């Protein structure tokens, strides 16, 4: 997932400085994997602007983001939602969690029964990426993106994995109603991920209306 919010904002591409405030109405747009592929460099710009990186490792952080994004784009059922005003100010993307439970591989302990049952029913959707421009963080954009993405896929449970050391990112999800259910260990490497879920009810007809 994304790293915690960075305290200061850096420019993205040369010659392009993002506006300090939004002056146009915001619209949400659904993208398929082909459209997302064509937007990768813009998404990497947004990643650099919205996520913390260790000084001197910005290039590596960008390349790692692009590598993860490419991997997710080719997962079955991948979907992306972008927010534009009119330039790109946010996005959320993910994919349905496989019914066989393989996505939970490495979970420490016993997976909660309700999570296991919803996974087997195909009603769990994993949000693998969430990016929001710093100027939009207090506008409720992250809430809109996650709700729209989960509603579009009729998910009864949202799921995400966040690096345990990224406390700000974990806190951000929990402030939006997500709850921690345990830790996931994913080799190779020492990374320990916190598993977060967001219980939801059946979407209404009004919520499904674009």
């Amino acid at each position: 997932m994304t790293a915690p919010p960075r305290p200061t904002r850096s420019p993205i591409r040369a010659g392009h400085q993002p506006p300090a405030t939004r002056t146009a109405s915001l619209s949400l747009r659904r993208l398929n994997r082909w459209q997302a592929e064509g937007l990768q460099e813009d998404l990497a710009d947004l990643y650099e602007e919205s996520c913390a990186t260790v000084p001197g490792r910005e290039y590596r952080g960008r390349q790692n983001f692009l590598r993860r994004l490419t991997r997710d784009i080719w997962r079955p059922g991948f979907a992306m939602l972008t927010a534009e005003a009119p330039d790109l100010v946010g996005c959320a993307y993910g994919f349905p969690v496989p019914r066989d439970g393989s996505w939970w591989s490495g979970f420490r302990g016993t997976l909660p029964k309700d999570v296991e049952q919803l996974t087997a029913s195909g009603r769990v959707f994993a949000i693998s990426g969430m990016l929001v421009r710093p100027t939009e963080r207090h506008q409720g954009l992250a809430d809109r993106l996650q709700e729209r993405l989960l509603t579009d896929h009729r998910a009864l449970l949202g799921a995400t994995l966040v690096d345990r050391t990224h406390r700000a990112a974990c806190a951000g999800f929990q402030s939006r109603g997500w709850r921690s259910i345990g830790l996931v260990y994913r080799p190779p490497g020492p990374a320990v991920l916190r598993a977060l879920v967001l219980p939801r009810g059946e979407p209404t007809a009004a919520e499904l209306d674009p």
Side-chain angles (χ1 to χ4, degrees), residues 33-205:
R33 60 166 48 95
W34 311 109
Q35 293 169 317
E37 271 200 319
L39 201 64
Q40 285 188 83
E41 291 302 322
D42 291 326
L43 292 168
D45 288 344
L46 182 62
Y47 169 82
E48 288 188 335
E49 183 184 359
S50 61
C51 297
T53 55
V54 177
R57 300 184 65 182
E58 292 85 357
Y59 176 77
R60 179 179 296 181
R62 182 186 182 95
Q63 294 306 114
N64 287 341
F65 166 77
L66 287 170
R67 176 180 50 80
R68 294 191 302 269
L69 177 62
T70 298
R71 177 198 62 197
D72 287 342
I73 283 175
W74 289 101
R75 291 182 185 271
F78 172 84
M80 176 177 285
L81 193 66
T82 60
E84 301 167 0
D87 54 331
L88 185 66
V89 296
C91 78
Y93 54 90
F95 47 86
V97 170
R99 293 172 182 257
D100 63 6
S102 58
W103 191 75
W104 299 105
S105 175
F107 186 86
R108 186 172 186 177
T110 302
L111 193 67
K113 195 67 176 178
D114 59 333
V115 175
E116 184 178 20
Q117 291 173 340
L118 286 170
T119 298
S121 72
R123 302 303 296 273
V124 182
F125 189 86
I127 293 183
S128 56
M130 172 80 73
L131 301 172
V132 175
R133 176 177 287 175
T135 56
E136 298 289 334
R137 287 189 182 138
H138 301 293
Q139 307 294 326
L141 180 54
D143 289 314
R144 289 184 61 185
L145 287 168
Q146 75 177 24
E147 285 303 310
R148 182 75 254 177
L149 194 57
L150 295 174
T151 297
D152 283 350
H153 292 82
R154 298 176 179 268
L156 295 184
L157 188 74
T160 193
L161 299 176
V162 182
D163 190 319
R164 182 175 61 171
T165 64
H166 294 165
R167 296 182 180 179
C170 291
F173 275 99
Q174 291 176 314
S175 71
R176 299 196 301 275
W178 294 71
R179 62 182 176 88
S180 173
I181 60 170
L183 300 176
V184 172
Y185 292 77
R186 288 281 172 85
V192 179
L193 308 172
R194 184 165 299 282
L196 300 163
V197 297
L198 180 68
R200 308 179 74 248
E202 287 281 1
T204 65

